[in-house]
Amino acid sequence: MPDKRKVYSVEFYPPRSPEGVAKLRAARTELAPLKPAFFSVTFGAGGSTREGTLSTVLEIRDEGLPAAPHISCIGGSRESLRDVLAQYRSHGIRHLVALRGDLPSGAADVGDFRYASDLVGFIRQETGDWFHIDVAAYPEYHPQARSSGDDLTNFVRKVEAGADSAITQYFFNADAYWHFVEACAARGVTVPIVAGIMPILSASGLARFSDNCGAEIPRWIRKKLEGFGDDTASVRAFGLDVVTALCAGLIEDGVPGLHFYTLNSASLTAKIWQRLGL
Ligand SMILES: Cc1cc2nc3c(=O)[nH]c(=O)nc-3n(C[C@H](O)[C@H](O)[C@H](O)COP(=O)(O)OP(=O)(O)OC[C@H]3O[C@@H](n4cnc5c(N)ncnc54)[C@H](O)[C@@H]3O)c2cc1C
């Protein structure tokens, strides 16, 4: 029996074309019957997707589904972020995922906030307890972190600044997740740390993504994926087995929830969800 106290959620990005809007609608239609706790929608650096994030969130809510926009602070001013918060608030949005974000290459102006902990502090200062705030966590450590110890300290800062819960970067190595959770507990962190899950849609896409965000693809998985070449069906079938087994193990060991990075494509997330009986 699935444990209803666990939080199972999914993530989308704002579509950039009419085809993308239609694709995302189809993804929502497929995922809605599974009743995710919420659908989150990403936010581009410097507010580049600001309107797209909001309109996607509002469209999801109009369908009667719970939605949480992301907000990122890099490249943004206090004023612009105050506006985004006011906009979210005026629509009755109560749940945010608060991030630093990454500056596009070549951009020099970091804006008024350097780190996500500054953003969380700002949100609390401006809006009190209005929002439930999720922040990002990195079981395999953030690629820019000076050391694992520093990164842990910086994660704790976000919780101390007022985060209510966290969602991790995706990982395939459950030991890294549990090690991180234990290290957080030893530092007095009590907020739930939900595991981010990446279904495997394509081997090359996963490799590219992982290089950028510092999530490790274990050698045996990488080798198997390379061996399938262009055989997408085999990549996905293997990926489904690997990711379902990862999720099943995490649930058995007491993870507080799973957050699926859907990349606006529902089928693999839906299959994993059904296999797990969530
Ligand atoms: C669940 C999830 C959702 C995401 N959604 C989005 C999104 O919608 N839009 C987007 O652009 N990106 C998104 N990202 C990516 C994220 O923005 C990047 O990983 C970014 O590089 C770091 O963001 P952060 O919020 O973790 O930053 P931070 O927590 O600020 O950490 C960034 C780096 O700075 C270091 N650091 C933090 N505080 C300090 C300090 N006081 N002194 C020194 N160093 C410090 C940390 O150790 C880390 O190396 C998401 C990531 C996750 C895991």
Side-chain angles (χ1 to χ4, degrees), residues 219-237:
R219 180 181 160 85
W220 70 276
I221 295 180
R222 195 160 39 83
K223 286 284 174 197
K224 287 283 282 190
L225 291 173
E226 280 168 12
F228 294 129
D230 293 333
D231 177 359
T232 309
S234 296
V235 166
R236 292 187 180 176

Side-chain angles (χ1 to χ4, degrees), residues 134-153:
D134 261 308
V135 290
Y138 300 86
E140 294 175 324
Y141 302 105
H142 187 265
Q144 291 158 1
R146 276 191 309 190
S147 69
S148 57
D150 271 7
D151 209 32
L152 182 63
T153 298

Side-chain angles (χ1 to χ4, degrees), residues 4 7-8 10 16 34 71 77 101-102 107 126 130 135 139 148 153 156 160 181 185 193 202 206 213 225 256 271 276:
K4 296 293 179 202
V7 175
Y8 302 114
V10 299
R16 292 178 205 99
L34 304 176
I71 179 170
S77 65
D102 293 306
E126 294 281 315
W130 178 264
V135 290
S148 57
T153 298
V156 174
E160 288 172 350
V181 167
I193 301 173
S202 108
L206 181 70
C213 72
L225 291 173
K271 283 200 182 95
L276 293 168

Side-chain angles (χ1 to χ4, degrees), residues 11 41-45 70 72 97-102 114-117 135-138 142 144-145 150-151 154 157-158 167-169 259 261:
E11 181 171 310
V41 182
T42 62
F43 186 95
H70 295 207
S72 72
V97 184
L99 305 131
R100 184 196 69 175
D102 293 306
R114 290 202 66 177
Y115 301 113
S117 53
V135 290
Y138 300 86
H142 187 265
Q144 291 158 1
D150 271 7
D151 209 32
N154 294 330
R157 277 186 224 276
K158 294 194 274 196
I167 301 171
T168 73
Q169 183 56 273
H259 181 77
Y261 297 106

